[in-house]
mmCIF file of all heavy atoms in Angstrom:
data_model
loop_
_atom_site.group_PDB
_atom_site.id
_atom_site.type_symbol
_atom_site.label_atom_id
_atom_site.label_comp_id
_atom_site.label_asym_id
_atom_site.label_seq_id
_atom_site.Cartn_x
_atom_site.Cartn_y
_atom_site.Cartn_z
ATOM 1 N N PHE A 38 -9.127 13.582 -5.882
ATOM 2 C CA PHE A 38 -9.504 13.252 -4.507
ATOM 3 C C PHE A 38 -8.204 13.145 -3.711
ATOM 4 O O PHE A 38 -7.131 13.021 -4.304
ATOM 5 C CB PHE A 38 -10.303 11.929 -4.459
ATOM 6 C CG PHE A 38 -9.652 10.817 -5.236
ATOM 7 C CD1 PHE A 38 -8.634 10.050 -4.692
ATOM 8 C CD2 PHE A 38 -10.020 10.559 -6.560
ATOM 9 C CE1 PHE A 38 -8.018 9.045 -5.411
ATOM 10 C CE2 PHE A 38 -9.401 9.554 -7.292
ATOM 11 C CZ PHE A 38 -8.409 8.794 -6.717
ATOM 12 N N PRO A 39 -8.291 13.206 -2.372
ATOM 13 C CA PRO A 39 -7.056 13.174 -1.586
ATOM 14 C C PRO A 39 -6.227 11.913 -1.896
ATOM 15 O O PRO A 39 -6.793 10.837 -2.093
ATOM 16 C CB PRO A 39 -7.558 13.134 -0.145
ATOM 17 C CG PRO A 39 -8.891 13.796 -0.194
ATOM 18 C CD PRO A 39 -9.483 13.400 -1.526
ATOM 19 N N PHE A 151 -2.173 6.899 3.576
ATOM 20 C CA PHE A 151 -3.602 7.240 3.514
ATOM 21 C C PHE A 151 -4.089 7.691 4.885
ATOM 22 O O PHE A 151 -4.773 8.709 5.011
ATOM 23 C CB PHE A 151 -4.439 6.036 3.056
ATOM 24 C CG PHE A 151 -4.062 5.527 1.704
ATOM 25 C CD1 PHE A 151 -3.592 4.234 1.536
ATOM 26 C CD2 PHE A 151 -4.170 6.350 0.592
ATOM 27 C CE1 PHE A 151 -3.241 3.760 0.280
ATOM 28 C CE2 PHE A 151 -3.823 5.883 -0.668
ATOM 29 C CZ PHE A 151 -3.355 4.589 -0.821
ATOM 30 N N TYR A 155 -5.481 11.476 5.297
ATOM 31 C CA TYR A 155 -6.892 11.644 5.668
ATOM 32 C C TYR A 155 -7.031 12.115 7.113
ATOM 33 O O TYR A 155 -7.971 12.840 7.438
ATOM 34 C CB TYR A 155 -7.676 10.344 5.429
ATOM 35 C CG TYR A 155 -8.120 10.171 3.991
ATOM 36 C CD1 TYR A 155 -7.395 9.385 3.102
ATOM 37 C CD2 TYR A 155 -9.256 10.834 3.511
ATOM 38 C CE1 TYR A 155 -7.803 9.247 1.772
ATOM 39 C CE2 TYR A 155 -9.660 10.704 2.198
ATOM 40 C CZ TYR A 155 -8.933 9.910 1.320
ATOM 41 O OH TYR A 155 -9.333 9.780 0.016
ATOM 42 N N GLU A 231 1.098 -10.414 -1.463
ATOM 43 C CA GLU A 231 0.104 -10.828 -0.482
ATOM 44 C C GLU A 231 0.692 -10.657 0.922
ATOM 45 O O GLU A 231 1.907 -10.528 1.082
ATOM 46 C CB GLU A 231 -0.251 -12.298 -0.713
ATOM 47 C CG GLU A 231 0.938 -13.227 -0.504
ATOM 48 C CD GLU A 231 0.645 -14.658 -0.910
ATOM 49 O OE1 GLU A 231 -0.534 -15.074 -0.849
ATOM 50 O OE2 GLU A 231 1.593 -15.367 -1.269
ATOM 51 N N THR A 283 8.615 -8.164 -13.566
ATOM 52 C CA THR A 283 9.483 -9.340 -13.580
ATOM 53 C C THR A 283 10.841 -9.026 -12.951
ATOM 54 O O THR A 283 11.434 -9.852 -12.274
ATOM 55 C CB THR A 283 9.698 -9.853 -15.018
ATOM 56 O OG1 THR A 283 10.081 -8.766 -15.847
ATOM 57 C CG2 THR A 283 8.430 -10.474 -15.564
ATOM 58 N N ARG A 287 12.900 -10.417 -9.094
ATOM 59 C CA ARG A 287 14.286 -10.919 -9.161
ATOM 60 C C ARG A 287 15.152 -10.222 -8.121
ATOM 61 O O ARG A 287 15.920 -10.847 -7.408
ATOM 62 C CB ARG A 287 14.888 -10.613 -10.541
ATOM 63 C CG ARG A 287 14.774 -11.751 -11.505
ATOM 64 C CD ARG A 287 15.369 -11.374 -12.864
ATOM 65 N NE ARG A 287 14.416 -11.824 -13.881
ATOM 66 C CZ ARG A 287 14.077 -11.174 -14.972
ATOM 67 N NH1 ARG A 287 14.635 -10.018 -15.252
ATOM 68 N NH2 ARG A 287 13.196 -11.665 -15.798
ATOM 69 N N LYS A 297 10.512 -15.913 -2.044
ATOM 70 C CA LYS A 297 10.132 -16.492 -3.336
ATOM 71 C C LYS A 297 8.699 -17.002 -3.427
ATOM 72 O O LYS A 297 8.073 -16.912 -4.465
ATOM 73 C CB LYS A 297 11.076 -17.645 -3.694
ATOM 74 C CG LYS A 297 12.349 -17.154 -4.335
ATOM 75 C CD LYS A 297 13.017 -18.236 -5.143
ATOM 76 C CE LYS A 297 14.056 -17.582 -6.025
ATOM 77 N NZ LYS A 297 15.367 -18.135 -5.929
ATOM 78 N N LEU A 299 6.077 -15.931 -1.932
ATOM 79 C CA LEU A 299 5.017 -14.913 -1.812
ATOM 80 C C LEU A 299 4.475 -14.560 -3.185
ATOM 81 O O LEU A 299 5.217 -14.513 -4.165
ATOM 82 C CB LEU A 299 5.572 -13.642 -1.169
ATOM 83 C CG LEU A 299 5.714 -13.614 0.332
ATOM 84 C CD1 LEU A 299 6.274 -12.258 0.744
ATOM 85 C CD2 LEU A 299 4.382 -13.872 1.008
ATOM 86 N N LYS A 300 3.178 -14.222 -3.224
ATOM 87 C CA LYS A 300 2.590 -13.834 -4.508
ATOM 88 C C LYS A 300 2.471 -12.321 -4.620
ATOM 89 O O LYS A 300 2.151 -11.638 -3.648
ATOM 90 C CB LYS A 300 1.197 -14.451 -4.637
ATOM 91 C CG LYS A 300 1.258 -15.950 -4.817
ATOM 92 C CD LYS A 300 -0.110 -16.502 -5.178
ATOM 93 C CE LYS A 300 -0.020 -17.953 -5.582
ATOM 94 N NZ LYS A 300 -0.624 -18.815 -4.553
ATOM 95 N N VAL A 301 2.748 -11.826 -5.809
ATOM 96 C CA VAL A 301 2.577 -10.398 -6.079
ATOM 97 C C VAL A 301 1.103 -10.181 -6.422
ATOM 98 O O VAL A 301 0.548 -10.886 -7.266
ATOM 99 C CB VAL A 301 3.449 -9.965 -7.279
ATOM 100 C CG1 VAL A 301 3.151 -8.522 -7.668
ATOM 101 C CG2 VAL A 301 4.921 -10.162 -6.940
ATOM 102 N N ILE A 302 0.447 -9.219 -5.741
ATOM 103 C CA ILE A 302 -0.978 -9.027 -6.037
ATOM 104 C C ILE A 302 -1.279 -7.749 -6.826
ATOM 105 O O ILE A 302 -2.326 -7.627 -7.437
ATOM 106 C CB ILE A 302 -1.853 -9.062 -4.761
ATOM 107 C CG1 ILE A 302 -1.493 -7.964 -3.776
ATOM 108 C CG2 ILE A 302 -1.789 -10.434 -4.107
ATOM 109 C CD1 ILE A 302 -2.461 -7.888 -2.593
ATOM 110 N N ARG A 303 -0.347 -6.781 -6.810
ATOM 111 C CA ARG A 303 -0.700 -5.530 -7.506
ATOM 112 C C ARG A 303 0.569 -4.761 -7.841
ATOM 113 O O ARG A 303 1.531 -4.784 -7.088
ATOM 114 C CB ARG A 303 -1.590 -4.695 -6.578
ATOM 115 C CG ARG A 303 -2.088 -3.385 -7.156
ATOM 116 C CD ARG A 303 -3.192 -2.775 -6.286
ATOM 117 N NE ARG A 303 -2.709 -2.216 -5.053
ATOM 118 C CZ ARG A 303 -2.969 -2.669 -3.827
ATOM 119 N NH1 ARG A 303 -3.734 -3.720 -3.667
ATOM 120 N NH2 ARG A 303 -2.469 -2.088 -2.770
ATOM 121 N N GLN A 304 0.554 -4.070 -8.974
ATOM 122 C CA GLN A 304 1.651 -3.160 -9.312
ATOM 123 C C GLN A 304 1.051 -1.851 -9.799
ATOM 124 O O GLN A 304 -0.095 -1.822 -10.286
ATOM 125 C CB GLN A 304 2.575 -3.763 -10.377
ATOM 126 C CG GLN A 304 1.953 -3.823 -11.740
ATOM 127 C CD GLN A 304 2.912 -4.162 -12.872
ATOM 128 O OE1 GLN A 304 2.604 -4.996 -13.710
ATOM 129 N NE2 GLN A 304 4.064 -3.506 -12.937
ATOM 130 N N GLU B 31 -12.052 6.852 -2.883
ATOM 131 C CA GLU B 31 -11.787 7.274 -1.502
ATOM 132 C C GLU B 31 -12.094 6.152 -0.508
ATOM 133 O O GLU B 31 -11.348 5.933 0.442
ATOM 134 C CB GLU B 31 -12.617 8.515 -1.176
ATOM 135 C CG GLU B 31 -12.072 9.752 -1.848
ATOM 136 C CD GLU B 31 -12.874 10.982 -1.493
ATOM 137 O OE1 GLU B 31 -13.981 11.146 -2.050
ATOM 138 O OE2 GLU B 31 -12.406 11.758 -0.654
ATOM 139 N N ARG B 34 -9.294 3.740 -0.440
ATOM 140 C CA ARG B 34 -8.091 4.219 0.240
ATOM 141 C C ARG B 34 -8.271 4.325 1.744
ATOM 142 O O ARG B 34 -7.322 4.183 2.511
ATOM 143 C CB ARG B 34 -7.656 5.560 -0.357
ATOM 144 C CG ARG B 34 -6.927 5.352 -1.675
ATOM 145 C CD ARG B 34 -6.889 6.579 -2.544
ATOM 146 N NE ARG B 34 -6.203 6.304 -3.802
ATOM 147 C CZ ARG B 34 -6.729 5.627 -4.824
ATOM 148 N NH1 ARG B 34 -7.956 5.129 -4.739
ATOM 149 N NH2 ARG B 34 -6.026 5.422 -5.915
ATOM 150 N N MET B 40 -8.372 -3.848 -1.997
ATOM 151 C CA MET B 40 -6.913 -3.932 -2.140
ATOM 152 C C MET B 40 -6.388 -5.277 -1.665
ATOM 153 O O MET B 40 -5.184 -5.454 -1.485
ATOM 154 C CB MET B 40 -6.238 -2.812 -1.346
ATOM 155 C CG MET B 40 -6.459 -1.438 -1.952
ATOM 156 S SD MET B 40 -5.976 -0.163 -0.800
ATOM 157 C CE MET B 40 -4.654 0.605 -1.665
ATOM 158 N N HIS B 42 -6.336 -9.730 -1.653
ATOM 159 C CA HIS B 42 -5.803 -10.773 -2.511
ATOM 160 C C HIS B 42 -6.511 -10.832 -3.858
ATOM 161 O O HIS B 42 -5.890 -11.000 -4.899
ATOM 162 C CB HIS B 42 -5.947 -12.112 -1.775
ATOM 163 C CG HIS B 42 -4.983 -13.140 -2.228
ATOM 164 N ND1 HIS B 42 -5.225 -13.939 -3.325
ATOM 165 C CD2 HIS B 42 -3.765 -13.482 -1.776
ATOM 166 C CE1 HIS B 42 -4.190 -14.749 -3.494
ATOM 167 N NE2 HIS B 42 -3.296 -14.490 -2.578
ATOM 168 N N GLN B 44 -8.013 -8.348 -5.278
ATOM 169 C CA GLN B 44 -7.938 -7.043 -5.929
ATOM 170 C C GLN B 44 -9.316 -6.475 -6.266
ATOM 171 O O GLN B 44 -9.509 -5.849 -7.301
ATOM 172 C CB GLN B 44 -7.073 -7.138 -7.184
ATOM 173 C CG GLN B 44 -5.609 -7.281 -6.839
ATOM 174 C CD GLN B 44 -5.129 -6.066 -6.085
ATOM 175 O OE1 GLN B 44 -5.076 -4.977 -6.632
ATOM 176 N NE2 GLN B 44 -4.835 -6.235 -4.802
ATOM 177 N N PRO B 74 -2.570 -4.576 -12.769
ATOM 178 C CA PRO B 74 -1.946 -5.875 -12.982
ATOM 179 C C PRO B 74 -1.243 -6.343 -11.707
ATOM 180 O O PRO B 74 -0.940 -5.502 -10.879
ATOM 181 C CB PRO B 74 -0.928 -5.604 -14.098
ATOM 182 C CG PRO B 74 -0.869 -4.130 -14.298
ATOM 183 C CD PRO B 74 -1.938 -3.484 -13.510
ATOM 184 N N PRO B 78 -2.823 -13.166 -8.639
ATOM 185 C CA PRO B 78 -1.546 -13.185 -7.915
ATOM 186 C C PRO B 78 -0.571 -14.206 -8.515
ATOM 187 O O PRO B 78 -0.975 -15.319 -8.844
ATOM 188 C CB PRO B 78 -1.946 -13.583 -6.504
ATOM 189 C CG PRO B 78 -3.372 -13.154 -6.370
ATOM 190 C CD PRO B 78 -3.968 -13.346 -7.728
ATOM 191 N N ILE B 79 0.679 -13.807 -8.691
ATOM 192 C CA ILE B 79 1.705 -14.715 -9.216
ATOM 193 C C ILE B 79 2.892 -14.679 -8.254
ATOM 194 O O ILE B 79 3.237 -13.606 -7.752
ATOM 195 C CB ILE B 79 2.223 -14.263 -10.606
ATOM 196 C CG1 ILE B 79 1.063 -13.883 -11.527
ATOM 197 C CG2 ILE B 79 3.071 -15.341 -11.260
ATOM 198 C CD1 ILE B 79 1.516 -13.294 -12.856
ATOM 199 N N SER B 80 3.519 -15.826 -8.025
ATOM 200 C CA SER B 80 4.584 -15.843 -7.016
ATOM 201 C C SER B 80 5.825 -15.122 -7.526
ATOM 202 O O SER B 80 6.083 -15.038 -8.732
ATOM 203 C CB SER B 80 4.932 -17.271 -6.628
ATOM 204 O OG SER B 80 5.697 -17.862 -7.645
ATOM 205 N N ILE B 81 6.596 -14.620 -6.565
ATOM 206 C CA ILE B 81 7.869 -13.947 -6.845
ATOM 207 C C ILE B 81 8.777 -14.881 -7.644
ATOM 208 O O ILE B 81 9.476 -14.478 -8.575
ATOM 209 C CB ILE B 81 8.539 -13.553 -5.512
ATOM 210 C CG1 ILE B 81 7.661 -12.531 -4.809
ATOM 211 C CG2 ILE B 81 9.980 -13.131 -5.701
ATOM 212 C CD1 ILE B 81 8.330 -11.401 -4.140
ATOM 213 N N LYS B 82 8.721 -16.166 -7.284
ATOM 214 C CA LYS B 82 9.572 -17.144 -7.943
ATOM 215 C C LYS B 82 9.236 -17.220 -9.438
ATOM 216 O O LYS B 82 10.108 -17.088 -10.285
ATOM 217 C CB LYS B 82 9.336 -18.511 -7.284
ATOM 218 C CG LYS B 82 10.183 -19.632 -7.787
ATOM 219 C CD LYS B 82 10.141 -20.788 -6.783
ATOM 220 C CE LYS B 82 11.108 -21.881 -7.151
ATOM 221 N NZ LYS B 82 10.696 -22.651 -8.308
ATOM 222 N N SER B 85 10.167 -14.008 -11.209
ATOM 223 C CA SER B 85 11.584 -13.722 -11.360
ATOM 224 C C SER B 85 12.231 -14.677 -12.362
ATOM 225 O O SER B 85 13.306 -14.392 -12.866
ATOM 226 C CB SER B 85 12.303 -13.752 -10.008
ATOM 227 O OG SER B 85 12.101 -14.984 -9.381
ATOM 228 N N TYR B 87 10.665 -15.468 -15.128
ATOM 229 C CA TYR B 87 10.039 -15.169 -16.419
ATOM 230 C C TYR B 87 11.035 -14.513 -17.366
ATOM 231 O O TYR B 87 11.774 -13.616 -17.007
ATOM 232 C CB TYR B 87 8.851 -14.240 -16.204
ATOM 233 C CG TYR B 87 8.211 -13.788 -17.486
ATOM 234 C CD1 TYR B 87 7.296 -14.603 -18.151
ATOM 235 C CD2 TYR B 87 8.535 -12.561 -18.056
ATOM 236 C CE1 TYR B 87 6.716 -14.206 -19.342
ATOM 237 C CE2 TYR B 87 7.967 -12.151 -19.240
ATOM 238 C CZ TYR B 87 7.062 -12.979 -19.895
ATOM 239 O OH TYR B 87 6.499 -12.582 -21.070
#
Side-chain angles (χ1 to χ4, degrees):
Chain A
F38 48 83
F151 300 119
Y155 277 98
E231 63 188 332
T283 50
R287 265 179 225 140
K297 277 202 165 127
L299 279 181
K300 290 190 171 109
V301 174
I302 61 173
R303 182 168 73 247
Q304 71 169 134
Chain B
E31 286 182 283
R34 281 160 181 76
M40 290 167 117
H42 204 275
Q44 288 298 293
I79 315 174
S80 76
I81 296 221
K82 183 163 187 288
S85 57
Y87 175 82

